[in-house]
Amino acid sequence: IKISFVRSLVKNTNDGGAMAFAVFPNPSSKDISIELQDSLANEIEPDEPIQIKVIDRNSKEVMDVVLETDTRKFPVTKLSPDIYFLIVSYKNLVFKKSIIINR
């Protein structure tokens, strides 16, 4: 996936756009948790999968995860320390947020 392709479909939550989810901890070194905000949480069934893509600063997809549980948590221990873009997709909704991985 290339950021330029997704850009027109994405609501950027870093620049005051719609905040549909929170990512924590950010920065992180072990796990990233995603908490859905009311606007998105009301639309998603508890067992509905959410697709997460992690994109590096060279627009390369470095991780693709499907979260199917209420936990909404995934490990980032295999990622090198850097800044990444987190692309969260659910049906026709796509949101982007930057994350920082440190050690």
Side-chain angles (χ1 to χ4, degrees), residues 30-32 34 52 54 63 65 67 73-76 86:
K30 295 181 182 178
D31 294 320
I32 292 278
I34 297 196
I52 310 292
V54 180
M63 185 180 284
V65 179
L67 301 178
K73 181 189 241 185
F74 62 97
V76 293
L86 192 69

Side-chain angles (χ1 to χ4, degrees), residues 25-30 32 54-60 62 76-86 97-103:
N26 192 12
S28 181
S29 60
K30 295 181 182 178
I32 292 278
V54 180
I55 311 295
D56 70 12
R57 60 173 79 205
N58 295 317
S59 298
K60 180 182 174 191
V62 294
V76 293
T77 53
K78 294 183 180 181
L79 296 177
S80 300
D82 206 345
I83 298 172
Y84 296 88
F85 296 101
L86 192 69
K97 186 165 184 67
S98 61
I99 58 171
I100 299 170
I101 304 301
N102 62 12
R103 298 281 179 255

Side-chain angles (χ1 to χ4, degrees), residues 20-21 36-44 50 88 90 93 95:
F21 68 98
L36 303 175
Q37 303 298 318
D38 289 341
S39 60
L40 187 57
N42 292 338
E43 295 182 31
I44 295 179
I50 295 176
V88 177
Y90 173 73
L93 301 172
F95 299 92

